[in-house]
PDB file of all heavy atoms in Angstrom:
ATOM      1  N   TRP A  15      -2.817  15.268  -2.272  1.00 93.00           N
ATOM      2  CA  TRP A  15      -2.478  14.369  -1.158  1.00 93.00           C
ATOM      3  C   TRP A  15      -1.748  15.212  -0.044  1.00 93.00           C
ATOM      4  O   TRP A  15      -1.935  14.958   1.116  1.00 93.00           O
ATOM      5  CB  TRP A  15      -1.590  13.273  -1.643  1.00 93.00           C
ATOM      6  CG  TRP A  15      -2.368  12.293  -2.521  1.00 93.00           C
ATOM      7  CD1 TRP A  15      -2.217  12.147  -3.865  1.00 93.00           C
ATOM      8  CD2 TRP A  15      -3.397  11.436  -2.137  1.00 93.00           C
ATOM      9  NE1 TRP A  15      -3.104  11.190  -4.303  1.00 93.00           N
ATOM     10  CE2 TRP A  15      -3.818  10.769  -3.272  1.00 93.00           C
ATOM     11  CE3 TRP A  15      -4.026  11.105  -0.895  1.00 93.00           C
ATOM     12  CZ2 TRP A  15      -4.855   9.829  -3.265  1.00 93.00           C
ATOM     13  CZ3 TRP A  15      -5.047  10.221  -0.863  1.00 93.00           C
ATOM     14  CH2 TRP A  15      -5.431   9.576  -2.065  1.00 93.00           C
ATOM     15  N   TYR A  19      -3.093  15.368   3.886  1.00 95.00           N
ATOM     16  CA  TYR A  19      -2.313  14.979   5.102  1.00 95.00           C
ATOM     17  C   TYR A  19      -1.788  16.174   5.880  1.00 95.00           C
ATOM     18  O   TYR A  19      -1.109  15.985   6.901  1.00 95.00           O
ATOM     19  CB  TYR A  19      -1.148  14.058   4.728  1.00 95.00           C
ATOM     20  CG  TYR A  19      -1.588  12.738   4.085  1.00 95.00           C
ATOM     21  CD1 TYR A  19      -1.186  12.399   2.753  1.00 95.00           C
ATOM     22  CD2 TYR A  19      -2.324  11.870   4.802  1.00 95.00           C
ATOM     23  CE1 TYR A  19      -1.576  11.213   2.249  1.00 95.00           C
ATOM     24  CE2 TYR A  19      -2.724  10.644   4.239  1.00 95.00           C
ATOM     25  CZ  TYR A  19      -2.343  10.316   2.932  1.00 95.00           C
ATOM     26  OH  TYR A  19      -2.719   9.127   2.399  1.00 95.00           O
ATOM     27  N   GLU A  56       6.803  -0.652   1.487  1.00 98.00           N
ATOM     28  CA  GLU A  56       5.401  -0.265   1.296  1.00 98.00           C
ATOM     29  C   GLU A  56       5.337   0.857   0.251  1.00 98.00           C
ATOM     30  O   GLU A  56       5.945   1.892   0.354  1.00 98.00           O
ATOM     31  CB  GLU A  56       4.735   0.223   2.585  1.00 98.00           C
ATOM     32  CG  GLU A  56       3.360   0.700   2.250  1.00 98.00           C
ATOM     33  CD  GLU A  56       2.375   0.807   3.456  1.00 98.00           C
ATOM     34  OE1 GLU A  56       2.829   0.584   4.590  1.00 98.00           O
ATOM     35  OE2 GLU A  56       1.212   1.110   3.206  1.00 98.00           O
ATOM     36  N   ALA A  58       3.082   3.786  -1.413  1.00 98.00           N
ATOM     37  CA  ALA A  58       1.937   4.681  -1.142  1.00 98.00           C
ATOM     38  C   ALA A  58       1.372   4.422   0.267  1.00 98.00           C
ATOM     39  O   ALA A  58       0.226   4.047   0.436  1.00 98.00           O
ATOM     40  CB  ALA A  58       0.880   4.434  -2.257  1.00 98.00           C
ATOM     41  N   CYS A  59       2.195   4.656   1.281  1.00 98.00           N
ATOM     42  CA  CYS A  59       1.861   4.303   2.658  1.00 98.00           C
ATOM     43  C   CYS A  59       0.835   5.177   3.301  1.00 98.00           C
ATOM     44  O   CYS A  59       0.235   4.760   4.333  1.00 98.00           O
ATOM     45  CB  CYS A  59       3.144   4.249   3.470  1.00 98.00           C
ATOM     46  SG  CYS A  59       3.905   5.894   3.553  1.00 98.00           S
ATOM     47  N   GLY A  60       0.639   6.391   2.792  1.00 98.00           N
ATOM     48  CA  GLY A  60      -0.304   7.281   3.491  1.00 98.00           C
ATOM     49  C   GLY A  60       0.152   7.529   4.921  1.00 98.00           C
ATOM     50  O   GLY A  60       1.264   7.794   5.227  1.00 98.00           O
ATOM     51  N   ASP A  79       5.826   7.318  -0.130  1.00 98.00           N
ATOM     52  CA  ASP A  79       4.608   8.022  -0.555  1.00 98.00           C
ATOM     53  C   ASP A  79       5.032   9.280  -1.313  1.00 98.00           C
ATOM     54  O   ASP A  79       6.208   9.655  -1.272  1.00 98.00           O
ATOM     55  CB  ASP A  79       3.741   8.405   0.665  1.00 98.00           C
ATOM     56  CG  ASP A  79       2.317   8.622   0.299  1.00 98.00           C
ATOM     57  OD1 ASP A  79       1.969   9.782  -0.227  1.00 98.00           O
ATOM     58  OD2 ASP A  79       1.491   7.682   0.442  1.00 98.00           O
ATOM     59  N   ILE A  80       4.050   9.870  -2.017  1.00 96.00           N
ATOM     60  CA  ILE A  80       4.370  11.099  -2.780  1.00 96.00           C
ATOM     61  C   ILE A  80       4.255  12.278  -1.826  1.00 96.00           C
ATOM     62  O   ILE A  80       4.815  13.334  -2.150  1.00 96.00           O
ATOM     63  CB  ILE A  80       3.406  11.254  -3.964  1.00 96.00           C
ATOM     64  CG1 ILE A  80       3.958  12.252  -4.953  1.00 96.00           C
ATOM     65  CG2 ILE A  80       1.985  11.568  -3.519  1.00 96.00           C
ATOM     66  CD1 ILE A  80       3.226  12.270  -6.318  1.00 96.00           C
ATOM     67  N   ALA A  81       3.598  12.163  -0.749  1.00 97.00           N
ATOM     68  CA  ALA A  81       3.231  13.306   0.116  1.00 97.00           C
ATOM     69  C   ALA A  81       4.192  13.438   1.298  1.00 97.00           C
ATOM     70  O   ALA A  81       4.225  12.579   2.156  1.00 97.00           O
ATOM     71  CB  ALA A  81       1.781  13.121   0.694  1.00 97.00           C
ATOM     72  N   HIS A 106       8.777   9.509  -2.893  1.00 97.00           N
ATOM     73  CA  HIS A 106       8.933   9.294  -4.336  1.00 97.00           C
ATOM     74  C   HIS A 106       7.606   9.479  -5.007  1.00 97.00           C
ATOM     75  O   HIS A 106       6.555   9.114  -4.434  1.00 97.00           O
ATOM     76  CB  HIS A 106       9.323   7.811  -4.647  1.00 97.00           C
ATOM     77  CG  HIS A 106      10.697   7.432  -4.164  1.00 97.00           C
ATOM     78  ND1 HIS A 106      11.797   7.579  -4.950  1.00 97.00           N
ATOM     79  CD2 HIS A 106      11.133   6.917  -3.008  1.00 97.00           C
ATOM     80  CE1 HIS A 106      12.853   7.179  -4.301  1.00 97.00           C
ATOM     81  NE2 HIS A 106      12.467   6.783  -3.091  1.00 97.00           N
ATOM     82  N   ASP A 107       7.592  10.081  -6.165  1.00 95.00           N
ATOM     83  CA  ASP A 107       6.480   9.953  -7.097  1.00 95.00           C
ATOM     84  C   ASP A 107       6.729   8.634  -7.785  1.00 95.00           C
ATOM     85  O   ASP A 107       7.669   8.536  -8.601  1.00 95.00           O
ATOM     86  CB  ASP A 107       6.440  11.121  -8.064  1.00 95.00           C
ATOM     87  CG  ASP A 107       5.338  10.907  -9.114  1.00 95.00           C
ATOM     88  OD1 ASP A 107       4.779   9.839  -9.190  1.00 95.00           O
ATOM     89  OD2 ASP A 107       5.131  11.929  -9.894  1.00 95.00           O
ATOM     90  N   LEU A 108       5.996   7.605  -7.487  1.00 96.00           N
ATOM     91  CA  LEU A 108       6.318   6.242  -7.924  1.00 96.00           C
ATOM     92  C   LEU A 108       6.214   6.145  -9.458  1.00 96.00           C
ATOM     93  O   LEU A 108       6.728   5.114 -10.018  1.00 96.00           O
ATOM     94  CB  LEU A 108       5.510   5.204  -7.177  1.00 96.00           C
ATOM     95  CG  LEU A 108       5.872   5.014  -5.779  1.00 96.00           C
ATOM     96  CD1 LEU A 108       4.783   4.269  -4.994  1.00 96.00           C
ATOM     97  CD2 LEU A 108       7.194   4.203  -5.680  1.00 96.00           C
ATOM     98  N   ASN A 124      -1.333  -1.126  -0.417  1.00 98.00           N
ATOM     99  CA  ASN A 124      -2.676  -1.212   0.065  1.00 98.00           C
ATOM    100  C   ASN A 124      -3.519   0.017  -0.370  1.00 98.00           C
ATOM    101  O   ASN A 124      -3.081   1.140  -0.073  1.00 98.00           O
ATOM    102  CB  ASN A 124      -2.725  -1.331   1.583  1.00 98.00           C
ATOM    103  CG  ASN A 124      -2.055  -2.573   2.052  1.00 98.00           C
ATOM    104  OD1 ASN A 124      -2.167  -3.656   1.360  1.00 98.00           O
ATOM    105  ND2 ASN A 124      -1.366  -2.570   3.169  1.00 98.00           N
ATOM    106  N   TYR A 125      -4.508  -0.201  -1.114  1.00 96.00           N
ATOM    107  CA  TYR A 125      -5.388   0.874  -1.600  1.00 96.00           C
ATOM    108  C   TYR A 125      -4.534   1.970  -2.290  1.00 96.00           C
ATOM    109  O   TYR A 125      -4.745   3.183  -2.058  1.00 96.00           O
ATOM    110  CB  TYR A 125      -6.196   1.546  -0.439  1.00 96.00           C
ATOM    111  CG  TYR A 125      -7.002   0.532   0.353  1.00 96.00           C
ATOM    112  CD1 TYR A 125      -7.123   0.626   1.741  1.00 96.00           C
ATOM    113  CD2 TYR A 125      -7.677  -0.516  -0.276  1.00 96.00           C
ATOM    114  CE1 TYR A 125      -7.912  -0.309   2.483  1.00 96.00           C
ATOM    115  CE2 TYR A 125      -8.439  -1.441   0.456  1.00 96.00           C
ATOM    116  CZ  TYR A 125      -8.485  -1.327   1.855  1.00 96.00           C
ATOM    117  OH  TYR A 125      -9.265  -2.218   2.557  1.00 96.00           O
ATOM    118  N   PHE A 126      -3.648   1.521  -3.133  1.00 96.00           N
ATOM    119  CA  PHE A 126      -2.869   2.449  -3.943  1.00 96.00           C
ATOM    120  C   PHE A 126      -3.724   2.948  -5.134  1.00 96.00           C
ATOM    121  O   PHE A 126      -3.545   2.546  -6.235  1.00 96.00           O
ATOM    122  CB  PHE A 126      -1.556   1.724  -4.403  1.00 96.00           C
ATOM    123  CG  PHE A 126      -0.623   2.642  -5.230  1.00 96.00           C
ATOM    124  CD1 PHE A 126      -0.736   3.990  -5.183  1.00 96.00           C
ATOM    125  CD2 PHE A 126       0.353   1.993  -5.945  1.00 96.00           C
ATOM    126  CE1 PHE A 126       0.127   4.784  -5.959  1.00 96.00           C
ATOM    127  CE2 PHE A 126       1.223   2.752  -6.763  1.00 96.00           C
ATOM    128  CZ  PHE A 126       1.123   4.145  -6.717  1.00 96.00           C
ATOM    129  N   HIS A 127      -4.677   3.733  -4.740  1.00 91.00           N
ATOM    130  CA  HIS A 127      -5.576   4.318  -5.759  1.00 91.00           C
ATOM    131  C   HIS A 127      -5.293   5.792  -5.869  1.00 91.00           C
ATOM    132  O   HIS A 127      -5.135   6.482  -4.853  1.00 91.00           O
ATOM    133  CB  HIS A 127      -7.044   4.093  -5.360  1.00 91.00           C
ATOM    134  CG  HIS A 127      -7.410   2.649  -5.200  1.00 91.00           C
ATOM    135  ND1 HIS A 127      -7.558   1.872  -6.292  1.00 91.00           N
ATOM    136  CD2 HIS A 127      -7.614   1.903  -4.148  1.00 91.00           C
ATOM    137  CE1 HIS A 127      -7.835   0.609  -5.924  1.00 91.00           C
ATOM    138  NE2 HIS A 127      -7.880   0.640  -4.577  1.00 91.00           N
ATOM    139  N   THR A 128      -5.188   6.280  -7.041  1.00 86.00           N
ATOM    140  CA  THR A 128      -4.734   7.630  -7.242  1.00 86.00           C
ATOM    141  C   THR A 128      -5.793   8.430  -8.037  1.00 86.00           C
ATOM    142  O   THR A 128      -6.721   7.851  -8.565  1.00 86.00           O
ATOM    143  CB  THR A 128      -3.446   7.674  -8.089  1.00 86.00           C
ATOM    144  OG1 THR A 128      -3.669   7.025  -9.315  1.00 86.00           O
ATOM    145  CG2 THR A 128      -2.313   6.968  -7.325  1.00 86.00           C
TER     146      THR A 128
HETATM  147  C1  SAM B 301      -5.930   5.927  -1.038  1.00 60.24           C
HETATM  148  S1  SAM B 301      -4.418   6.385  -0.286  1.00 60.24           S
HETATM  149  C2  SAM B 301      -3.942   4.924   0.523  1.00 60.24           C
HETATM  150  C3  SAM B 301      -2.910   5.142   1.587  1.00 60.24           C
HETATM  151  C4  SAM B 301      -2.545   3.927   2.471  1.00 60.24           C
HETATM  152  N1  SAM B 301      -1.896   2.943   1.711  1.00 60.24           N
HETATM  153  C5  SAM B 301      -3.767   3.352   3.136  1.00 60.24           C
HETATM  154  O1  SAM B 301      -4.145   2.220   2.865  1.00 60.24           O
HETATM  155  O2  SAM B 301      -4.416   4.066   3.874  1.00 60.24           O
HETATM  156  C6  SAM B 301      -3.335   6.457  -1.707  1.00 60.24           C
HETATM  157  C7  SAM B 301      -1.952   6.907  -1.370  1.00 60.24           C
HETATM  158  O3  SAM B 301      -1.196   6.964  -2.553  1.00 60.24           O
HETATM  159  C8  SAM B 301      -0.277   8.009  -2.492  1.00 60.24           C
HETATM  160  N2  SAM B 301       0.127   8.295  -3.874  1.00 60.24           N
HETATM  161  C9  SAM B 301      -0.686   8.765  -4.868  1.00 60.24           C
HETATM  162  N3  SAM B 301       0.010   8.900  -5.999  1.00 60.24           N
HETATM  163  C10 SAM B 301       1.278   8.532  -5.727  1.00 60.24           C
HETATM  164  C11 SAM B 301       2.482   8.499  -6.511  1.00 60.24           C
HETATM  165  N4  SAM B 301       2.483   8.839  -7.812  1.00 60.24           N
HETATM  166  N5  SAM B 301       3.596   8.025  -5.940  1.00 60.24           N
HETATM  167  C12 SAM B 301       3.591   7.708  -4.614  1.00 60.24           C
HETATM  168  N6  SAM B 301       2.492   7.740  -3.804  1.00 60.24           N
HETATM  169  C13 SAM B 301       1.320   8.155  -4.366  1.00 60.24           C
HETATM  170  C14 SAM B 301      -1.043   9.115  -1.833  1.00 60.24           C
HETATM  171  O4  SAM B 301      -0.250  10.113  -1.285  1.00 60.24           O
HETATM  172  C15 SAM B 301      -1.857   8.336  -0.755  1.00 60.24           C
HETATM  173  O5  SAM B 301      -1.147   8.291   0.457  1.00 60.24           O
END
Side-chain angles (χ1 to χ4, degrees):
W15 293 108
Y19 295 120
E56 174 162 5
C59 61
D79 202 277
I80 198 170
H106 292 272
D107 175 349
L108 287 164
N124 295 326
Y125 305 142
F126 181 18
H127 299 287
T128 60

